[in-house]
Amino acid sequence: DALRDAARRAGRPSWLWLAGVLYPSLNLNVDLLRGILALVHRVSGVEVPLAGEMGRFVTLFAPGIPGVNLGGRGAHQFELVLVLLPVLVLSYRLIVGLAKVSDPLHASSAAVLVPVEGSSAQTERGVPLRRVWAEGKGLALMGLGLWGTLLLLLFGATLVLIGPLVALLKLLDLARFSTLFAGLLSPVLVLVLAYAAVLMVVNQLALHSLAHNRRGVASALTHAWRLVRTSPLGALRATLVDLVLFVSVVVVDAVFVRNFAGDSPLSLALELALFGFAGVTRAGYWARTYRALGGLSSSDNVPGL
């Protein structure tokens, strides 16, 4: 019901979809994990299952925008991060602002009286993009810092779990037996993927906590983790519903957009519209989940907030 309501509010095309394209989703953590496994493969020489490609360090800090390649290689990767840092900061200002205006209480108040055949009727009014920009004021660096902290958490956990196994195989000169390594690594990969899924949930909840209460990164993460621990089944259901949205977008993109439009500019425009709609829907859905799990806003006039 929450996803349907969020999709209904996001369904009308608007400039808000531009911010929706930037909103983070489930696949970013998967991309990060594949990049870390590729790094393990390059350093150790051991064939690692599910390893991705190296050389796209900057994309770990930027949302996955269809049709845009931010990949840099070698020493130019860090230079590209520095050059694009102002763009990333501006992007996260829109992301945090979108999280704030997606709150159901904020959306329910966005109504206006319009004349209808000599009378007045109340109708929903879309949130303008300038309002999203205004709501993100002063929170862009914290939003970027939140995502960077989650990257470090997943990076550290992956190296701690996989590093000793890789070192043992190198010490015993068993690196060439990739089948053996894949069998030993499978339980660890399942654990890391589960950890990445938890971080995805924490990222969404912490993002809304950050937007609502203008708290710091550590405080937002602590608050989000407290919400997950209080209702683990609720967080699990929220993740499964988000997965439904993610798979639906992938299927629509693969079956309809790419098949009918090919690689034309029309395909890129349709992809941006699809991802923009999905991003606004996801922001609205997690705003409702944040409230359902007990998340509060400073505007709720609760003592201590």
Side-chain angles (χ1 to χ4, degrees), residues 22 24 32 37 54 67 73 83 87 94 106 110 120 146 150 171 186 188 193 201 223 230 235 243 254 264 275:
L22 305 174
L32 172 63
L37 294 178
M54 292 290 297
R73 296 186 177 275
V83 170
V87 179
L94 289 175
H106 183 283
S120 295
L146 173 63
L150 293 172
L171 181 63
S186 296
V188 179
L193 286 172
V201 177
H223 184 211
T230 302
L243 184 62
S264 63
F275 280 77

Side-chain angles (χ1 to χ4, degrees), residues 10 17 20 23 245 249 273-283:
W17 285 7
Y23 196 82
L245 175 62
V249 171
L274 175 62
F275 280 77
F277 163 74
V280 176
T281 300
R282 179 171 282 109

Side-chain angles (χ1 to χ4, degrees), residues 49-72:
L50 302 180
E53 297 180 357
M54 292 290 297
R56 295 189 178 183
F57 176 77
V58 68
T59 57
L60 301 179
F61 295 89
I65 304 175
V68 178
N69 181 12
L70 297 176

Side-chain angles (χ1 to χ4, degrees), residues 4-289:
R4 181 182 58 201
D5 185 49
R8 181 179 61 83
R9 293 186 181 276
R12 180 180 299 178
S14 67
W15 293 108
L16 201 63
W17 285 7
L18 294 178
V21 173
L22 305 174
Y23 196 82
S25 64
L26 177 65
N27 65 316
L28 294 180
N29 280 334
V30 176
D31 290 342
L32 172 63
L33 177 59
R34 295 185 70 226
I36 294 175
L37 294 178
L39 176 63
V40 172
H41 168 64
R42 172 170 293 187
V43 173
S44 64
V46 178
E47 293 291 338
V48 183
L50 302 180
E53 297 180 357
M54 292 290 297
R56 295 189 178 183
F57 176 77
V58 68
T59 57
L60 301 179
F61 295 89
I65 304 175
V68 178
N69 181 12
L70 297 176
R73 296 186 177 275
H76 300 291
Q77 294 185 52
F78 294 98
E79 297 176 6
L80 190 57
V81 170
L82 295 178
V83 170
L84 293 178
L85 184 60
V87 179
L88 298 180
V89 172
L90 297 180
S91 299
Y92 276 90
R93 176 168 176 172
L94 289 175
I95 290 172
V96 177
L98 178 60
K100 180 63 179 294
V101 303
S102 298
D103 180 49
L105 298 182
H106 183 283
S108 62
S109 64
V112 64
L113 290 175
V114 297
V116 178
E117 296 181 357
S119 61
S120 295
Q122 191 177 50
T123 183
E124 293 184 6
R125 179 181 60 189
V127 179
L129 192 60
R130 63 178 179 273
R131 179 65 177 172
V132 175
W133 178 261
E135 291 289 357
K137 182 179 180 180
L139 297 173
L141 286 177
M142 284 186 285
L144 182 59
L146 173 63
W147 181 244
T149 302
L150 293 172
L151 294 183
L152 290 177
L153 286 174
L154 184 55
F155 184 83
T158 305
L159 291 185
V160 167
L161 291 172
I162 296 179
L165 181 58
V166 173
L168 177 62
L169 291 178
K170 292 287 289 184
L171 181 63
L172 299 177
D173 196 24
L174 296 175
R176 61 184 181 275
F177 297 106
S178 56
T179 304
L180 172 63
F181 180 69
L184 295 175
L185 189 62
S186 296
V188 179
L189 286 177
V190 172
L191 180 61
V192 172
L193 286 172
Y195 183 68
V198 172
L199 287 184
M200 187 275 293
V201 177
V202 171
N203 176 41
Q204 296 289 345
L205 296 176
L207 189 59
H208 287 271
S209 177
L210 184 73
H212 283 296
N213 303 303
R214 307 188 73 85
R215 60 175 80 235
V217 173
S219 179
L221 286 172
T222 302
H223 184 211
W225 178 240
R226 187 178 296 118
L227 294 177
V228 173
R229 284 197 309 167
T230 302
S231 181
L233 291 180
L236 177 60
R237 289 196 301 269
T239 306
L240 294 177
V241 174
D242 186 281
L243 184 62
V244 170
L245 175 62
F246 173 73
V247 173
S248 300
V249 171
V250 171
V251 170
V252 171
D253 182 40
V255 175
F256 295 99
V257 176
R258 296 186 182 274
N259 280 350
F260 290 100
D263 296 328
S264 63
L266 176 61
S267 174
L268 177 59
L270 292 176
E271 274 194 299
L272 288 173
L274 175 62
F275 280 77
F277 163 74
V280 176
T281 300
R282 179 171 282 109
Y285 168 71
W286 280 103
R288 287 155 179 78
T289 302

